[in-house]
Each structure stands twice: as C-alpha cells, then as structure tokens.
Amino acid sequence: MKKIILLLTVILAMSLTINSKTENTTMIPGNAEIVKCPYCGTEKELMTLISGNTFDAEYWSDNKRIAPMLPHVSPVQKCPNCGKYYFEHKNRHGESKNTSFDCGELTFSEWKEAYKQFQAEGVDGDEMTNIQFWVVQSYNDYFYRNSIISVKPSEEDYQLFSEMVVGFIESFDWKPVKHPLLKAELYREANCMKECKEVLESIPYDDLEDFEKSIFNDIKRRMESNDNIVFKLSV
C-alpha cells in the first residue's frame, strides 16, 4: 500500500482547482465493487462513482475532506458475517451489475478494533502508518465532527489518540514535505505544544502562499491558547 498523501496545503490547493471543475458535475454511481472477506469468504458490494462533485465540501485541519457528493469508500472494511477487518484494495473481486451506496465507513470503536486486530496480525510499515492516521481522523470524527451532543473523550481514548499521532509522525516520511503544517497541527492536537512550536518555527513564513499563511496562523493562535481541538479550515 502506498503511503497516504498527507501534504495538507497541497491537498487544499488541489481541492480549490477540483472545486472549480466539479461543482456542477452530478454525482452518478457506477457498478458496485465486490470485495470478499479473506477470513470467511463473505462478499459485499461497495459504492463506485462515475462522477461526483465537491459542492459544500468541508476541509479540516487533520487533512479530512468531507464531500457529501463525492464520498469515498473506507480503505478498511468490516466483514458483516465474521466481524473481521481487511484492506479493501487487497480484496477486490470484480464488479457487480448493481449499484451500491455502501461505503463501508467504520466508527471510531470499529477503527480501534481494526487497529488491535492488525497489530496482533503483525501489520507494519506503511500499512500501519496509514491505520494510525485513520484512527486519528476517526477520533476527531466521533468527538468533534459528527457529534450532535458534545462527548468528552475518556482518558483511555485520548491516550490512544496521542499514541496514534506520535506513532504516525515518527513513521511518516516528511522529507518531501516542504511546509509540514500537518505535522505541527497533529502535535497541537496531541497536546505536544512544544513540538508544535518547533515545527512552526522551522517553516519559512514568508515563503508560504496566502492560504498556507492562514492555516499557519490558525494553528499558531490555537497553540498559544493551549487549544488542542481539530478545526474546520476556511477555504
């Protein structure tokens, strides 16, 4: 599995271009993708899209994009029969003649289960790096993005979140990243304000694009007030 492309500002720049090209494109589902559980052989059908759009899309500081008309299939799927977790891209078995709107999205609790399963199975390298990041995003989904009623993370959940952040940062290859704003942001969310400040100080502010400066300033302002909550970006 290739590493996730986690260049926060690059993705935002790309998204601005995509928005101008796709905002008037209708979301049209394609033939469903068939995936097969490698543990018990149970098949299920997942959504594919012929076209979609980024109208009303949201962009968040942990690199999450939420586009109602351009949904994405979860990279890890849960078998509806045996309850085991598996990688979607490794278990594709052709396409169906049907359409499906199932993306197989996992809840935060399910991502925690998936992490424990993959860890016990000895999954490592890029795959584990990716899983750690998906756990981070699902934590923010549950506690800050999708909650109608505010739910305070337990000490256990926040400890796991912090471990996932640090594990991801230490294992991800940041060398190609010119301006590692995401690295600073994740340190902030893990309440590692000293490390966040060090990363921000390493970024040449004058070299940033205007929208990058806006993100930089938002991260810095929240860091200085000891705010460690994910936030929606103004795009």
Side-chain angles (χ1 to χ4, degrees):
M1 180 188 292
K2 294 182 179 179
K3 284 190 175 180
I4 310 172
I5 304 301
L6 295 169
L7 317 185
L8 180 59
T9 56
V10 172
I11 286 182
L12 283 175
M14 291 172 61
S15 298
L16 293 174
T17 303
I18 291 171
N19 276 334
S20 66
K21 294 180 179 179
T22 65
E23 59 184 6
N24 295 318
T25 304
T26 303
M27 186 179 83
I28 303 174
N31 291 343
E33 173 189 85
I34 299 172
V35 291
K36 185 175 181 179
C37 175
Y39 301 95
C40 72
T42 298
E43 294 183 349
K44 68 176 182 177
E45 299 182 352
L46 299 173
M47 171 182 257
T48 67
L49 290 178
I50 295 174
S51 66
N53 66 71
T54 53
F55 184 72
D56 280 344
E58 296 178 354
Y59 301 90
W60 290 74
S61 59
D62 63 349
N63 210 58
K64 183 71 175 275
R65 183 186 73 180
I66 301 175
M69 303 302 286
L70 195 65
H72 70 278
V73 168
S74 174
V76 171
Q77 293 291 318
K78 181 178 183 178
C79 178
N81 180 49
C82 69
K84 288 277 195 176
Y85 297 90
Y86 56 90
F87 290 106
E88 175 269 336
H89 79 285
K90 288 184 174 182
N91 295 281
R92 296 170 183 166
H93 287 264
E95 64 177 38
S96 166
K97 294 181 179 180
N98 305 317
T99 57
S100 172
F101 290 92
D102 183 8
C103 293
E105 291 188 67
L106 304 183
T107 65
F108 176 52
S109 294
E110 289 172 331
W111 272 114
K112 289 192 292 183
E113 291 176 351
Y115 168 72
K116 292 177 182 177
Q117 177 192 309
F118 289 134
Q119 186 180 47
E121 292 174 350
V123 172
D124 57 9
D126 289 352
E127 289 182 336
M128 182 53 73
T129 300
N130 291 344
I131 292 167
Q132 289 171 327
F133 190 70
W134 293 325
V135 172
V136 167
Q137 289 189 324
S138 69
Y139 170 95
N140 283 331
D141 286 342
Y142 180 68
F143 290 109
Y144 303 117
R145 268 190 285 266
N146 301 337
S147 294
I148 298 175
I149 301 175
S150 178
V151 180
K152 185 177 180 180
S154 66
E155 184 177 338
E156 180 182 357
D157 282 337
Y158 186 69
Q159 182 178 355
L160 174 66
F161 170 79
S162 298
E163 290 175 359
M164 295 297 99
V165 167
V166 174
F168 168 76
I169 288 175
E170 291 180 348
S171 58
F172 184 75
D173 180 12
W174 295 96
K175 292 178 182 177
V177 184
K178 187 176 181 181
H179 303 138
L181 292 173
L182 179 62
K183 186 177 184 179
E185 168 61 11
L186 291 178
Y187 271 135
R188 184 189 68 82
E189 292 180 22
N191 213 30
C192 299
M193 301 305 180
K194 177 176 177 291
E195 290 81 358
C196 174
K197 183 178 180 181
E198 290 173 351
V199 175
L200 289 178
E201 289 177 345
S202 73
I203 298 173
Y205 185 81
D206 291 340
D207 291 348
L208 299 177
E209 300 290 339
D210 287 344
F211 73 93
E212 293 177 308
K213 288 179 179 178
S214 175
I215 296 169
F216 181 102
N217 293 335
D218 278 340
I219 295 172
K220 183 179 179 182
R221 176 169 55 83
R222 286 171 168 80
M223 175 201 70
E224 291 174 343
S225 61
N226 289 315
D227 177 356
N228 65 344
I229 306 302
V230 67
F231 61 94
K232 193 191 309 187
L233 302 177
S234 300
V235 179

